Amino acid sequence: MATNENLPPNVIKQLAKELKSLDESPPEGIKVVVNDDDFSTIFADIEGPVGTPYENGLFRMKLILSRDFPCSPPKGYFLTKIFHPNIATNGEICVNTLKKDWNPSLGLRHVLIVVRCLLIEPFPESALNEQAGKMLLENYDEYARHARLYTGIHAKPKPKFKTGAISESTTALNVDPTNASALSTDLKNASATALPLACPTANSTTAVRSGQEQQQPNVVTALASESGVGVSGVGVAPAATVKKESGHLKMQQVDKKKIDARKKSLKRL
């Protein structure tokens, strides 16, 4: 058990009971964070009440207990920046419960509930933040806009990430998490290699003469059927193959012209 030398033993004993009660049944919107080595400083996370400019915010505060606690009230501070008439720019809290209305019989639960209620109903008459107090009295909409702005910037709860999400996804794919990066690199390399084959041989069509434009599709179709892939698929013959076949057809046409010329010369004889 921690010594907590800053507080008398009877106070430590009483605080231990209170903190246990707060942990087992916390007040609405309040979570106490305890340092077992030093009960003289109590931390608490307070949720911004619904319907107020502090809604959706999470504010951390602390209560500092003196050696003569509970004869004297604790001092309260907001560690999260907040725009509020009764909270100074340095975080000090001004509320009657912690000052003239303090009673040694009041416990920590009561103090925390009063502080959260302060977010619901501020008291601009006893403002520590004069700008916020004046704005609240003269132009509530402008005050609320400032308070929401501070809340959105400074009091955002930390996002909660699902643990083990990466390992679950790799397990579902039967992938070893240690090889995940290597697999990603292999996939990228494979995609880069496959890209040239996925493009139709558009340049080869422009290289074919006008007299052979009707024959070239037949050549492509024949090559595709031999490889078992459709004409529109990834396995279309490369440009070099089509060009070679086109040259072969050209040679056949030249030979045919030579034969026709010989026949004509024989007829003349």
Side-chain angles (χ1 to χ4, degrees):
M1 179 66 180
T3 57
N4 288 283
E5 295 179 354
N6 294 332
L7 300 171
N10 61 322
V11 174
I12 293 175
K13 186 176 180 180
Q14 179 61 32
L15 284 174
K17 291 180 180 179
E18 283 198 63
L19 293 172
K20 182 179 180 182
S21 173
L22 287 169
D23 183 58
E24 293 175 350
S25 58
E28 180 183 359
I30 301 174
K31 179 178 176 57
V32 177
V33 182
V34 181
N35 179 6
D36 291 334
D37 294 329
D38 185 8
F39 285 168
S40 64
T41 303
I42 309 297
F43 295 93
D45 290 331
I46 300 179
E47 297 177 2
V50 177
T52 71
Y54 311 104
E55 184 177 352
N56 297 325
L58 187 66
F59 302 86
R60 172 154 287 198
M61 63 158 292
K62 69 176 178 180
L63 294 173
I64 300 177
L65 283 57
S66 61
R67 279 194 60 85
D68 59 347
F69 178 86
C71 295
S72 61
K75 292 183 179 180
Y77 295 89
F78 265 70
L79 302 179
T80 304
K81 287 186 177 182
I82 183 172
F83 189 77
H84 191 285
N86 305 113
I87 302 172
T89 54
N90 67 348
E92 183 181 354
I93 303 171
C94 178
V95 61
N96 289 337
T97 302
L98 298 179
K99 295 186 180 300
K100 64 180 182 178
D101 292 343
W102 174 253
N103 189 317
S105 63
L106 298 177
L108 294 178
R109 181 182 295 271
H110 178 78
V111 173
L112 294 172
I113 292 174
V114 168
V115 172
R116 188 169 188 266
C117 288
L118 200 63
L119 300 183
I120 301 174
E121 188 176 353
F123 295 96
E125 295 81 4
S126 58
L128 286 180
N129 186 327
E130 294 183 2
Q131 180 188 9
K134 183 179 180 181
M135 199 175 290
L136 176 61
L137 291 172
E138 297 178 356
N139 189 341
Y140 178 82
D141 290 340
E142 187 66 14
Y143 156 75
R145 188 180 72 81
H146 271 71
R148 279 193 295 268
L149 182 63
Y150 270 65
T151 300
I153 295 174
H154 302 291
K156 280 188 175 181
K158 293 182 179 179
K160 297 179 181 179
F161 296 101
K162 183 180 178 183
T163 58
I166 296 178
S167 61
E168 288 179 7
S169 61
T170 53
T171 302
L173 295 172
N174 293 324
V175 177
D176 185 355
T178 58
N179 295 330
S181 59
L183 176 62
S184 177
T185 304
D186 292 342
L187 289 174
K188 288 180 180 179
N189 294 336
S191 300
T193 306
L195 281 176
L197 296 178
C199 300
T201 54
N203 293 334
S204 64
T205 57
T206 57
V208 180
R209 297 181 180 273
S210 59
Q212 295 148 5
E213 286 180 352
Q214 295 179 354
Q215 296 180 5
Q216 182 178 334
N218 295 331
V219 175
V220 175
T221 304
L223 292 173
S225 61
E226 290 178 3
S227 59
V229 181
V231 177
S232 59
V234 177
V236 174
T241 304
V242 176
K243 187 174 180 181
K244 183 178 180 181
E245 294 294 332
S246 174
H248 183 66
L249 290 175
K250 186 175 179 181
M251 292 287 294
Q252 289 180 347
Q253 289 182 354
V254 172
D255 293 339
K256 185 178 180 182
K257 288 181 180 180
K258 289 181 179 181
I259 293 172
D260 292 341
R262 290 177 181 176
K263 288 181 178 180
K264 288 180 180 180
S265 61
L266 290 173
K267 287 180 179 181
R268 290 176 184 175
L269 296 173

